[in-house]
Amino acid sequence: MYRTILSSLTGLVGGIILIGGAWLAFIGGSWFFILLGLGLCASALLLFKLRSEGLAVYGATVLVTCAWSIYEVGFDWWALSARGSLLIVIGALLLLPPMVRSLHRPEIGWARYDASSGMLAGSLTVALLAGLYSMLLSPHDTSGALSATQMAATRSIESNVPDGEWHAYGRTDAGRRYSPLDQITPENVSNLKVAWTYHTGDIRGPNDPGEATYEDTPLMIDGTVYICTPHNLVIALDAVTGKEKWRFDPHLKQTAKQTTQHLTCRGVSYFDGTSAKPAPSGQQPAVTADSTTKTEEQRVEESAAEVTTGAAGVPQNVVTGQAKRGDPNPIVDHKTTSAIANPDAICIKRLFAPTSDGRLISISAETGKICPGFGGDDGTINLWANMPNITPGSIYSTSPPVVTDRLVIVGGSVNDNVATTSPSGVIRAYDVNTGDLVWNFDSKNPDATAPIANGQTYSENAPNSWSVASYDPKLGLIYLPMGNQSPDQYGVGRSASVEKYSSSILALDVNTGKPAWVFQTVHHDLWDMDVPAQPSLVDLTVGGVEVPALVAPTKQGEVYVLNRKTGQPVLPVKEEPAPAGGVKGDTTSPTQPVSTISFKPEPLQEKDMWGISPLDELVCRIEFRNLYYKGRYTPPTARGSIVYPGNFGAFNWGAVAVDPNRQVMFAMPVYLAFTSKMIPRPDKYARVVTKEGGDVFNENFGAPYAAKMGAFLSPLGLPCQAPPWGYVAGVDLTTGKTIYKHVNGTVRDLSPIPLPFKMGVPGIGGPIITKGGVAFLSGTLDYYVRGYDLKTGKEIWRDRLPAGGQATPSSYLGSDGRQYLIVVAGGHGSTGTAAGDSIIAYALPKAG
């Protein structure tokens, strides 16, 4: 019975591989799987006939497979394991006594193990030794170290933020994610312990959209930590004890799951009015009157009531852009007041909190109470004002606004790939005290920056800025990472203005909103490669000359270093040829810009396909051959294309950390391939890629094609490309040289069995750097916060988190004299990490 079962299993595996191998060879792939399938089938047939030679044939098959695997991928453990693991397991079972006894006459006795079984045993030994040797190597790591001179560098870095505090998403408006604290060092980081843990009580619920996420970076000001949650609660905590001081509930009017793409808060913004300056002469805020002002509750409820359902079960005004009664703009215009904002001194220091139902709220940093006078008595700006095509959930703000001494400047998220009639991606600046609209930048109408008049609307479907911006007060420029108009994957009919500002870094004059310069990172973007991250502002010494620079990481893996005054590259950028193709009527750019600092992935090859066995590896090889792929920037097609790096991006909103003293960057590049298939639409409004009653994302209503997208996965749900999928890296920004790059993260929380294998896992969230020479990161898809030696990039500390830590940490100095590291562990809906509500602070033990 044992022989029958095991022979049948060997024959079944061999038959599947033989058939699949023939298919793969027919479509232009490797012929090896035909040989592998024949070897396994021949072995199974001999074993069925009670011939011990079947063991020898199996052994020979293992040897040939081992040699072929090493030829293809070298001594790369994870790549070798995909090719050989199943064969080794079956081979070991074939060597067990029940099988060997069944192949010989009982009277032979001890001689049952013969030359055939010896051949198999020897082959398995060779394969295991090759595997063990490969485990000792790190073929994907680049080792190196920053020089002692760099590590000891000390420069005078001007900042209006105290060293021990964290005032903005990137600590300062420069967005470096650098703490000038040096109490925690590589020598003592292993002593970090949990100082306190706080639970927000805001847990992801069944009615939340898939991307309900904790992405918050905590602020610390005047001894108080400020956090926000996915449902836009704002909470103040004592920085030393974690005890709650107050919480603000915006009473979020949650919209339907199918019309809300994201539910998150990356942070709040802080304003200290004690140092505020008056508006420049001749640049007074606009003051308008609005006799139809409604309460926020009325605004949301009435707007939600105006969403009707069409024949396809799609919210009708998502498709057509029209609300009930034919009103092109059902949301009231912005509420303003000519009065000076709240005279109560309690609001001199305030927070600005964006919400996912389209509001910007001003609250006291001391009490958490509304600051009346900002936009009206309710302290609220209506971000739906003057918007076209409003459906509740179609536009919102997930990132903290930029706050200057007199303005609060906010962009917004627009639901990707729902319809060609999306709301506008306009960027708006409001008076920080009154909430009056001072200027607006509409990328489809870039010259008209004066405040829009009541009754008018911004341009529909204009490229937006959904991530975090940076600000240079000396130059008077704000730097915005720009997105695209919908749909991302179809570019026919885009205007010259859209083509100019899409997927770019845009510098605007902070006083007028007029463009100072724009640098495009992707031409004619068809891949959703919008610029996702806050640019980091740093002065660099390049070629002996100090340059005011900007460091901008992108989804496609390029890190552009630009002169932030002019937008010209500081480190060379060259145009490289890009693939052609795409859908009928569309075009591609013949070239794309490539930076000196580039984390672009090596083009995928068939040998890069992976699985936990030759079976799913073979399926991935077949898929690779069936899909259209010509390297990075392969356009989406009706056949189906591989997009690599995919929508996850090599870098995303977590950005990078920049050390202004050492002039280095610490980053977490990610490599995960996606697929994109363009599905022709029978008409403008029919559902094509989503189910009735569900969400409508990627339907692209109004366009000729819907888009079917997702990670490039095997039938078992594993990435088709071989690991590693995630790294940490250190770069010298003065030369553009990558000093080190190390595989980062384990599959402990990604596999059915919690195995701590270091495979290099994807992550989302960002790193920070401290003056003490330690970088911290919690964004990997295993539940750890880690510390790294900035000099070498080696992991030197980690601690287990109760949930996914897909956020960017921060660091501050407590009133007890200790440096704290604070981490948010709430999970991320789109990555599948465990949900939670933990805010965890670490510190070194108290002295004595």
Side-chain angles (χ1 to χ4, degrees):
M1 178 62 72
Y2 184 87
R3 178 184 58 82
T4 302
I5 293 173
L6 203 52
S7 300
S8 299
L9 175 62
T10 304
L12 177 63
V13 171
I16 294 173
I17 290 177
L18 179 58
I19 294 171
W23 184 3
L24 177 63
F26 178 75
I27 59 177
S30 171
W31 285 72
F32 175 77
F33 287 88
I34 295 177
L35 300 178
L36 176 58
L38 287 172
L40 294 177
C41 289
S43 173
L45 182 61
L46 290 170
L47 294 174
F48 266 120
K49 293 183 175 182
L50 299 177
R51 295 181 60 178
S52 64
E53 290 88 346
L55 299 179
V57 171
Y58 192 95
T61 302
V62 170
L63 271 183
V64 172
T65 300
C66 183
W68 167 76
S69 300
I70 294 171
Y71 168 76
E72 267 208 325
V73 298
F75 288 98
D76 181 342
W77 160 249
W78 289 110
L80 291 178
S81 69
R83 292 157 170 80
S85 56
L86 180 62
L87 299 183
I88 290 174
V89 169
I90 293 176
L93 294 174
L94 290 174
L95 276 179
L96 292 178
M99 173 58 80
V100 177
R101 276 199 303 266
S102 70
L103 298 175
H104 296 84
R105 298 189 304 276
E107 62 270 20
I108 293 179
W110 61 268
R112 291 170 187 158
Y113 283 93
D114 58 11
S116 294
S117 51
M119 170 67 177
L120 175 56
S123 299
L124 293 178
T125 300
V126 170
L128 287 170
L129 287 175
L132 289 173
Y133 175 69
S134 69
M135 292 178 71
L136 301 176
L137 305 178
S138 302
H140 300 285
D141 275 18
T142 301
S143 295
L146 300 175
S147 69
T149 302
Q150 279 179 298
M151 291 303 297
T154 301
R155 307 173 76 210
S156 177
I157 307 300
E158 186 176 345
S159 174
N160 59 356
V161 176
D163 285 356
E165 298 191 351
W166 197 284
H167 281 209
Y169 179 78
R171 200 185 87 84
T172 70
D173 287 330
R176 301 182 189 118
R177 281 157 287 282
Y178 169 79
S179 170
L181 299 177
D182 58 5
Q183 192 178 111
I184 300 172
T185 68
E187 291 72 33
N188 64 22
V189 67
S190 60
N191 296 325
L192 278 180
K193 302 295 180 186
V194 174
W196 55 260
T197 299
Y198 173 81
H199 295 282
T200 68
D202 188 355
I203 301 292
R204 188 189 310 160
N207 295 322
D208 290 335
E211 289 210 19
T213 63
Y214 268 81
E215 298 178 357
D216 177 50
T217 295
L219 309 185
M220 202 292 282
I221 302 144
D222 295 334
T224 301
V225 168
Y226 299 101
I227 59 173
C228 63
T229 72
H231 292 89
N232 300 130
L233 302 178
V234 181
I235 304 172
L237 307 174
D238 183 277
V240 171
T241 67
K243 182 179 179 180
E244 182 178 314
K245 292 185 174 182
W246 54 255
R247 69 168 48 203
F248 171 79
D249 186 347
H251 301 292
L252 197 66
K253 301 299 179 184
Q254 198 165 338
T255 55
K257 277 181 73 172
Q258 65 264 30
T259 60
T260 303
Q261 208 161 29
H262 303 273
L263 191 63
T264 192
C265 179
R266 295 190 183 95
V268 295
S269 298
Y270 172 70
F271 171 69
D272 184 351
T274 59
S275 58
K277 299 176 183 178
S281 176
Q283 185 65 44
Q284 297 299 321
V287 178
T288 61
D290 184 0
S291 60
T292 62
T293 294
K294 303 177 183 179
T295 68
E296 192 63 30
E297 185 171 343
Q298 288 174 322
R299 179 181 69 83
V300 179
E301 288 179 352
E302 290 181 13
S303 298
E306 289 181 346
V307 180
T308 59
T309 302
V314 179
Q316 193 66 35
N317 57 350
V318 170
V319 176
T320 65
Q322 300 300 310
K324 192 170 66 175
R325 299 184 301 277
D327 184 356
N329 184 23
I331 309 304
V332 299
D333 290 325
H334 50 272
K335 298 178 292 182
T336 57
T337 174
S338 59
I340 300 300
N342 177 29
D344 191 344
I346 213 73
C347 273
I348 288 180
K349 296 180 179 181
R350 62 177 69 185
L351 302 173
F352 291 99
T355 70
S356 60
D357 61 1
R359 291 177 284 165
L360 179 64
I361 305 174
S362 176
I363 58 178
S364 165
E366 184 172 333
T367 67
K369 303 294 184 182
I370 285 281
C371 290
F374 180 75
D377 290 339
D378 61 356
T380 299
I381 292 290
N382 171 18
L383 297 178
W384 292 356
N386 301 88
M387 278 290 176
N389 309 331
I390 281 293
T391 296
S394 60
I395 186 167
Y396 38 84
S397 185
T398 56
S399 297
V402 169
V403 179
T404 75
D405 55 5
R406 70 179 195 92
L407 297 175
V408 53
I409 303 163
V410 61
S413 294
V414 177
N415 284 339
D416 278 343
N417 302 322
V418 171
T420 57
T421 51
S422 294
S424 179
V426 63
I427 297 150
R428 288 165 286 186
Y430 298 94
D431 185 281
V432 76
N433 291 309
T434 67
D436 294 337
L437 183 63
V438 176
W439 56 258
N440 34 231
F441 175 81
D442 178 341
S443 55
K444 279 190 171 180
N445 192 15
D447 297 325
T449 61
I452 195 169
N454 283 332
Q456 294 185 349
T457 58
Y458 299 110
S459 303
E460 71 174 7
N461 207 17
N464 65 321
S465 182
W466 57 266
S467 191
V468 187
S470 304
Y471 170 52
D472 185 333
K474 281 191 171 181
L475 295 178
L477 296 177
I478 180 172
Y479 305 94
L480 297 124
M482 294 295 291
N484 304 308
Q485 73 170 33
S486 287
D488 291 319
Q489 295 78 26
Y490 184 73
V492 175
R494 292 176 182 172
S495 68
S497 182
V498 167
E499 293 284 19
K500 178 178 180 179
Y501 291 108
S502 291
S503 300
S504 67
I505 301 152
L506 171 64
L508 296 181
D509 185 296
V510 74
N511 292 317
T512 65
K514 297 287 186 181
W517 55 260
V518 61
F519 178 89
Q520 189 164 71
T521 66
V522 181
H523 308 318
H524 195 68
D525 187 357
L526 300 173
W527 306 272
D528 191 20
M529 294 298 183
D530 46 2
V531 183
Q534 180 184 30
S536 297
L537 313 184
V538 59
D539 294 338
L540 298 176
T541 304
V542 179
V545 178
E546 187 167 271
V547 181
L550 170 155
V551 179
T554 61
K555 285 185 179 179
Q556 63 270 26
E558 303 301 318
V559 181
Y560 298 98
V561 181
L562 310 177
N563 186 313
R564 65 178 183 269
K565 184 184 295 186
T566 65
Q568 296 300 307
V570 172
L571 296 179
V573 174
K574 60 182 179 180
E575 295 285 333
E576 290 189 353
V583 296
K584 184 179 180 180
D586 208 345
T587 59
T588 58
S589 173
T591 64
Q592 294 290 352
V594 176
S595 175
T596 300
I597 303 176
S598 180
F599 287 91
K600 63 180 179 180
E602 290 295 322
L604 291 174
Q605 301 179 58
E606 184 191 316
K607 68 179 183 179
D608 297 318
M609 298 302 99
W610 186 78
I612 61 172
S613 74
L615 298 173
D616 49 328
E617 179 198 346
L618 177 57
V619 173
C620 287
R621 285 177 179 253
I622 292 170
E623 276 297 291
F624 176 80
R625 290 290 177 179
N626 282 330
L627 293 165
Y628 183 62
Y629 180 67
K630 296 296 182 181
R632 193 168 60 151
Y633 301 115
T634 298
T637 60
R639 166 184 168 183
S641 301
I642 295 175
V643 179
Y644 182 55
N647 303 49
F648 210 68
F651 300 103
N652 211 296
W653 49 263
V656 297
V658 170
D659 186 329
N661 285 301
R662 301 173 178 110
Q663 301 189 62
V664 299
M665 177 187 88
F666 187 83
M668 181 184 65
V670 170
Y671 299 96
L672 199 62
F674 274 59
T675 61
S676 181
K677 185 174 183 178
M678 304 296 280
I679 312 294
R681 302 188 55 81
D683 57 54
K684 288 186 176 182
Y685 308 129
R687 283 179 180 263
V688 175
V689 294
T690 60
K691 295 181 180 179
E692 200 71 30
D695 64 47
V696 291
F697 306 129
N698 300 323
E699 286 290 358
N700 297 336
F701 297 119
Y705 298 89
K708 187 175 182 180
M709 298 183 295
F712 185 21
L713 301 178
S714 75
L716 298 179
L718 297 172
C720 269
Q721 70 188 91
W725 306 298
Y727 296 81
V728 292
V731 176
D732 184 334
L733 290 172
T734 65
T735 64
K737 181 181 178 182
T738 297
I739 305 299
Y740 54 76
K741 185 179 177 184
H742 300 299
V743 173
N744 185 54
T746 71
V747 292
R748 172 170 176 169
D749 299 296
L750 298 177
S751 60
I753 303 172
L755 300 173
F757 293 147
K758 187 176 181 179
M759 295 178 69
V761 297
I764 194 165
I768 65 170
I769 294 175
T770 66
K771 185 179 180 181
V774 182
F776 292 100
L777 176 67
S778 66
T780 52
L781 299 193
D782 55 351
Y783 308 160
Y784 289 100
V785 55
R786 291 179 168 89
Y788 307 84
D789 186 335
L790 180 62
K791 182 176 182 178
T792 64
K794 297 291 187 181
E795 180 184 320
I796 52 178
W797 171 80
R798 69 177 175 182
D799 192 58
R800 186 77 176 153
L801 298 175
Q806 285 69 59
T808 302
S810 57
S811 186
Y812 60 85
L813 189 68
S815 60
D816 60 352
R818 294 193 292 169
Q819 180 182 352
Y820 286 78
L821 169 74
I822 186 167
V823 179
V824 174
H828 196 285
S830 61
T831 64
T833 51
D837 68 338
S838 298
I839 314 296
I840 305 170
Y842 295 86
L844 297 173
K846 294 181 180 179

